[in-house]
Amino acid sequence: MTRPASALAALRHLPKVDRVLDHPELAALPWRRRLVHRFVVDAIASERARVLEAKPAKAVEVADADALAARVRERLEALAQPHPRPVINATGVLLHTNIGRAPLGAAAIAAMAAAAGTCDLEIDLRTGARGSRFAYLRPLLAALFEAEDVHVVNNGAAALLLACSALGVSPTKQHPTGVALSRGQHVEIGDSFRVADMAAAGGVPLVAIGSTNRTHLRDYAQAEVSALLWVHPSNFVQSGFVREVELPALAKLARERGLPLIADLGSGSLGHGLPPGEPTVASHIQAGATLVTFSGDKLLGGPQAGILAGDAAAIARCRRHPLARALRPGKTALAAIHATALAHARAPEAGKPDVPDLPLHTQAMVPAEALRARGLELCAALGWPESALQPSRATIGGGSLPGEDLDSFALVPPVAKAHRAAATLRRGNPPIIARVHDERLWLDLRTLHGVDDERLLGPLRALTP
Ligand SMILES: *Cc1c(COP(=O)(O)O)cnc(C)c1O
């Protein structure tokens, strides 16, 4: 290390690319030299930027070839780690978008692996003719959702985009192109994405009607559009001087005007298994929606997918739209959806609760008393006092069931620095994602249901040596 007086002088000591590239530490790596070269150039450029940004008055140290080669090796090793890697969900949020939403069932995982090689994705094995990738899924999903027909795309946003792009133009040119959406339903979902923008991304304009707090039937009646859109306010509630038109009234108007009604439900609840109160896909079709769009990885408990369910002619228009090809799911996703749909289709065993055999549904329905019993056992095994077990509230999350919580219990370890402990768990192997609340660390047993004790005890023991 050198200690020159100024940054510019320091930069003269920055090693050349070839010196770092030929460093024994990098030469031995099993990476193509062209790639290593690129990361070496990057490392030198960021070192140069760091030195130039240093305060002028300060003496600047510049990294030598040893240090830069070590940095590049660390970077490449980090990039070579499998990703996304498994983490343990102790947040108490069952559908957490940042950590992969629904954990798939064992059958879905096996189905994805089986479909990963060559498979009969689009060949009819009986005749040898070209088949449809949706052939098996369509009747099964249509029956489950009590819909005339269904179509499957990559995610809920894609389902909404496809529905609005296909149905927001008039097949007979009687109506101007456009989709009407109440200002009270211009929902923003995660990562700053707005439902209205996603719906319009295919080029069909979205026509905002009504006001933030009140939208009337006459607003829909007067809108010059080809389709009506209703969006489930999945992540917020409005109260006070508010009014939205209920779906059945909207459906009646849509029928009278000869317009399709698209309902973006967000989550594909089938009703059984999860707490009551969340409207189901079938109930929205019965209420008169032409098409219902939703995510396959929210209340269905499957892989990332988007499903459109409803009127057969409307589904046919979506299926023929060019975007349908751009948004179609791949073989592994289809295999996982199929296995997840089967779990919903299976009758519950005699005397057992009506819950599909899927991790999401099992976690949602396990009685709080069972979580308490397990929590006490874990406290005993860890040598923690019983006060380290606290009642808590878990949530479904994923924009499902706003305001609805589930009774739960959480481990609240006797540690002083909650944020530091959370970081330790997060950086462990396997990483555990916990919650900090009231300056205390909370590990919710509802989302830990199904996780082996052995995977928890080691990291938790290390918290309170
Ligand atoms: C989650 C959600 C979407 C988007 O679904 P993704 O599967 O995340 O693409 C769209 N609309 C509503 C109302 C949602 O809750």
Side-chain angles (χ1 to χ4, degrees):
M1 289 281 173
T2 43
R3 280 177 194 280
S6 80
L8 280 176
L11 284 182
R12 282 206 301 276
H13 298 271
L14 205 55
K16 296 272 180 295
V17 171
D18 282 346
R19 262 201 69 209
V20 184
L21 193 57
D22 294 336
H23 194 282
E25 188 137 23
L26 297 185
L29 289 179
W31 284 73
R32 290 184 193 281
R33 208 173 146 81
R34 184 169 58 77
L35 287 178
V36 181
H37 181 273
R38 181 189 167 116
F39 287 102
V40 169
V41 170
D42 275 2
I44 292 176
S46 33
E47 179 64 4
R48 179 188 311 273
R50 188 189 66 81
V51 169
L52 287 175
E53 276 164 22
K55 296 228 167 66
K58 274 220 181 130
V60 196
E61 283 186 20
V62 67
D64 58 14
D66 287 349
L68 286 169
R71 269 183 219 170
V72 170
R73 187 177 50 77
E74 269 168 37
R75 177 107 196 271
L76 290 171
E77 276 166 3
L79 288 174
Q81 291 300 312
H83 191 89
R85 53 193 284 231
V87 305
I88 292 176
N89 179 8
T91 62
V93 181
L94 278 83
L95 290 172
H96 199 307
T97 300
N98 299 4
I99 54 179
R101 287 202 189 152
L104 297 187
I109 293 168
M112 287 179 95
T118 44
C119 62
D120 66 340
L121 182 66
E122 290 195 349
I123 184 171
D124 183 332
L125 292 178
R126 232 167 10 90
T127 63
R130 174 164 191 171
S132 158
R133 65 177 61 207
F134 301 110
Y136 290 92
L137 214 43
R138 257 170 94 181
L140 189 57
L141 289 180
L144 277 173
F145 291 113
E146 301 171 51
E148 280 180 19
D149 202 355
V150 297
H151 185 61
V152 183
V153 289
N154 278 327
N155 51 39
L160 175 66
L161 167 65
L162 181 58
C164 291
S165 305
L167 304 185
V169 291
S170 168
T172 56
K173 297 276 181 289
Q174 278 172 354
H175 304 282
T177 294
V179 177
L181 177 64
S182 163
R183 288 195 169 83
Q185 294 174 3
H186 275 55
V187 181
E188 179 171 303
I189 57 173
D191 202 17
S192 309
F193 282 103
R194 291 174 174 166
V195 162
D197 297 337
M198 300 183 307
V204 170
L206 214 78
V207 179
I209 60 167
S211 62
T212 307
N213 56 330
R214 291 172 71 83
T215 300
H216 307 274
L217 195 61
R218 63 171 184 274
D219 295 316
Y220 290 97
Q222 290 159 4
E224 301 202 356
V225 289
S226 284
L228 307 180
L229 174 60
W230 175 94
V231 176
H232 187 264
S234 53
N235 51 10
F236 74 103
V237 282
Q238 274 195 329
S239 64
F241 189 51
V242 294
R243 185 190 176 122
E244 285 286 352
V245 180
E246 300 288 332
L247 202 61
L250 202 51
K252 182 163 171 287
L253 175 77
R255 272 197 303 279
E256 286 164 9
R257 289 193 60 188
L259 299 180
L261 170 60
I262 302 159
D264 176 22
L265 190 52
S267 53
S269 174
L270 276 157
H272 51 229
L274 289 170
E278 182 70 357
T280 61
V281 175
S283 73
H284 283 71
I285 296 174
Q286 275 144 27
T290 314
L291 281 191
V292 181
T293 66
F294 50 92
S295 296
D297 54 354
K298 289 190 184 168
L299 293 189
L300 205 58
Q304 179 186 303
I307 302 174
L308 304 96
D311 175 74
I315 291 286
R317 285 176 70 189
C318 293
R319 200 188 295 287
R320 282 195 303 268
H321 193 280
L323 274 176
R325 169 63 194 238
L327 303 174
R328 72 181 187 180
K331 57 188 179 180
T332 50
L334 288 170
I337 299 166
H338 182 257
T340 305
L342 269 184
H344 283 278
R346 290 232 163 79
E349 283 174 43
K352 292 270 176 66
D354 184 8
V355 183
D357 185 14
L358 292 169
L360 172 69
H361 295 72
T362 310
Q363 286 185 346
M365 296 308 284
V366 59
E369 195 43 47
L371 300 178
R372 198 180 89 90
R374 184 187 183 206
L376 289 174
E377 281 170 26
L378 286 169
C379 283
L382 289 159
W384 292 354
E386 284 191 8
S387 61
L389 183 70
Q390 293 286 324
S392 73
R393 309 290 297 168
T395 57
I396 300 275
S400 312
L401 303 137
E404 287 232 19
D405 293 351
L406 306 168
D407 280 332
S408 189
F409 282 89
L411 294 176
V412 184
V415 292
K417 300 208 160 98
H419 283 284
R420 179 181 294 178
T424 303
L425 290 177
R426 201 174 59 237
R427 293 172 195 150
N429 186 22
I432 299 175
I433 315 294
R435 188 160 45 100
V436 177
H437 174 65
D438 264 352
E439 298 297 314
R440 288 187 298 169
L441 182 68
W442 294 70
L443 294 121
D444 199 292
L445 289 162
R446 192 167 284 286
T447 48
L448 288 175
H449 184 70
V451 177
D452 287 343
D453 285 356
E454 291 77 74
R455 302 182 71 207
L456 294 174
L457 287 174
L460 293 184
R461 247 185 219 118
L463 285 182
T464 51

